[in-house]
Amino acid sequence: MAAEIIDGKAVAAEVRDRVAREVEQLCAEGVTPGLATILVGDDPASAVYVRMKREDCAQVGIESFHHEPGGDVSQEQLAELIESLNADERVHGILLQLPLPDHLDQDVLIPLISRDKDVDGLTPANAGLLAQGRDEALVPCTPAGVMELLAHAGVELEGARAVVIGRSILVGKPLATLLLGANATVTHCHSRTRDLGAVCREADVIVAAVGRQSTVTADMVREGAVVIDVGTNRTDDGLVGDVDFDGVREQAGAITPVPGGVGPMTRAMLLANTVRTARAQAGRTASAVRQ
Ligand code: NAP
């Protein structure tokens, strides 16, 4: 039987509606959530991503503050910009679009983003809090979106065998931590994993975050398993994921498509993180005023 298709667009629309209602409420309390975006260099894909994120913000009532300091900006100048946004009360989230040009070091710049405004969840401070299972961690948008999709599809994670393929700090690592936190038994795979197929065949849930077409094929999937495809690969046939969709959908119980699966969730979770940081910062300001 063909798998249930998990509709990321529909779930993302629900998240956006929820965020829009929260923004309305915050505005009524005198706080307009604000997201600062920083775009450096002339990578066309990055420019499109940032534009879409700003459009998403406008749609739900989040104010956006866009900065495009130019491709030759120095590390010190960019650091100053980040510090000024950390101090700006109108800004509740800061998004430094990656990748940065070669002369800039993201390992130096990302940790400068205030933990409270780190809506991408990429600072070591938030990664550490997530690793410790602490609720206050801001979680990177893609893994947070995957967890929403799994919840929406009614996937029982407690005691389930989950395989995560890919170990980036943006997707694979935080996702494995979240699945562990949801009491799944997690196996973490990467380019050196031996016999990936055998590992995957044991899994109730497979998440592929690799960036390589056809990494997961039907013979690697146990009947009824849930398959989440994070990958985005541009081919002559358009955008495809890491999962061989047509073959795997005949075997899986549920599967996300590409496009229309994880991608829309990543965008929606950025809005959700921004409204969350706005709420947290507004709460702190209010209690400081009361003291
Ligand atoms: P990344 O930093 O390049 O990491 C890729 C991971 O895949 C690495 O851990 C690598 O292992 C592993 N890998 C490579 N070849 C493999 C193989 N043959 N078998 C098993 N594992 C293998 O990529 P990323 O940033 O995590 O992104 C992964 C994919 O997700 C990309 O296609 C990206 O475009 C996509 N993505 C999509 C969204 C979205 O919203 N839909 C968001 C973020 C990323 P090693 O660590 O051993 O090198």
Side-chain angles (χ1 to χ4, degrees):
M1 211 174 74
E4 174 202 340
I5 309 296
I6 303 174
D7 185 349
K9 273 194 207 159
V11 184
E14 281 179 25
V15 173
R16 278 201 306 272
D17 285 350
R18 198 172 72 210
V19 168
R21 284 195 299 276
E22 284 182 54
V23 171
E24 220 175 274
Q25 203 182 337
L26 272 167
C27 287
E29 293 166 24
V31 179
T32 305
L35 175 71
T37 48
I38 308 174
L39 176 64
V40 188
D42 50 13
D43 177 37
S46 292
V48 172
Y49 291 143
V50 170
R51 182 172 48 75
M52 289 190 320
K53 288 167 187 177
R54 297 179 64 210
E55 284 168 6
D56 289 345
C57 283
Q59 227 179 48
V60 297
I62 293 174
E63 196 171 352
S64 65
F65 302 91
H66 183 56
H67 296 267
E68 222 170 301
D72 56 354
V73 66
S74 71
Q75 179 122 324
E76 291 67 31
Q77 287 168 322
L78 202 50
E80 270 170 36
L81 173 60
I82 292 171
E83 295 295 0
S84 75
L85 295 171
N86 284 340
D88 188 336
E89 287 189 357
R90 299 166 307 161
V91 171
H92 303 100
I94 301 172
L95 185 142
L96 178 60
Q97 183 67 40
L98 301 177
L100 294 173
D102 287 346
H103 69 284
L104 300 169
D105 185 350
Q106 70 177 57
D107 291 344
V108 172
L109 291 162
I110 286 175
L112 297 179
I113 297 172
S114 160
R115 190 202 78 71
D116 302 337
K117 299 190 178 187
D118 171 27
V119 282
D120 254 346
L122 287 178
T123 59
N126 274 313
L129 288 169
L130 179 62
Q132 292 186 352
R134 300 261 294 268
D135 287 343
E136 65 266 43
L138 286 166
V139 178
C141 302
T142 303
V146 170
M147 295 305 283
E148 283 270 344
L149 285 178
L150 290 169
H152 200 271
V155 178
E156 175 66 58
L157 291 172
E158 176 125 1
R161 286 164 300 186
V163 166
V164 176
I165 318 173
R167 56 177 166 178
S168 69
I169 59 167
L170 186 66
V171 190
K173 278 186 183 152
L175 187 57
T177 306
L178 289 166
L179 288 165
L180 192 62
N183 295 322
T185 300
V186 181
T187 305
H188 208 162
C189 299
H190 43 77
S191 65
R192 318 291 165 86
T193 298
R194 286 194 205 120
D195 201 349
L196 183 64
V199 179
C200 287
R201 275 189 290 278
E202 295 286 313
D204 303 306
V205 177
I206 300 172
V207 185
V210 174
R212 180 172 158 269
Q213 190 179 356
S214 296
T215 297
V216 178
T217 49
D219 59 305
M220 298 165 72
V221 177
R222 203 174 55 72
E223 198 176 340
V226 176
V227 180
I228 306 290
D229 193 351
V230 179
T232 50
N233 306 292
R234 291 189 192 282
T235 71
D236 293 343
D237 300 330
L239 194 67
V240 300
D242 292 342
V243 175
D244 182 5
F245 183 81
D246 290 337
V248 171
R249 72 179 295 192
E250 297 303 322
Q251 188 71 6
I255 186 169
T256 57
V258 176
V262 174
M265 290 305 294
T266 299
R267 287 169 63 179
M269 296 317 287
L270 175 66
L271 304 175
N273 272 352
T274 304
V275 94
R276 179 181 161 190
T277 54
R279 161 94 39 225
Q281 286 162 55
R284 265 195 303 280
T285 310
S287 66
V289 169
R290 276 197 300 274
Q291 277 168 12

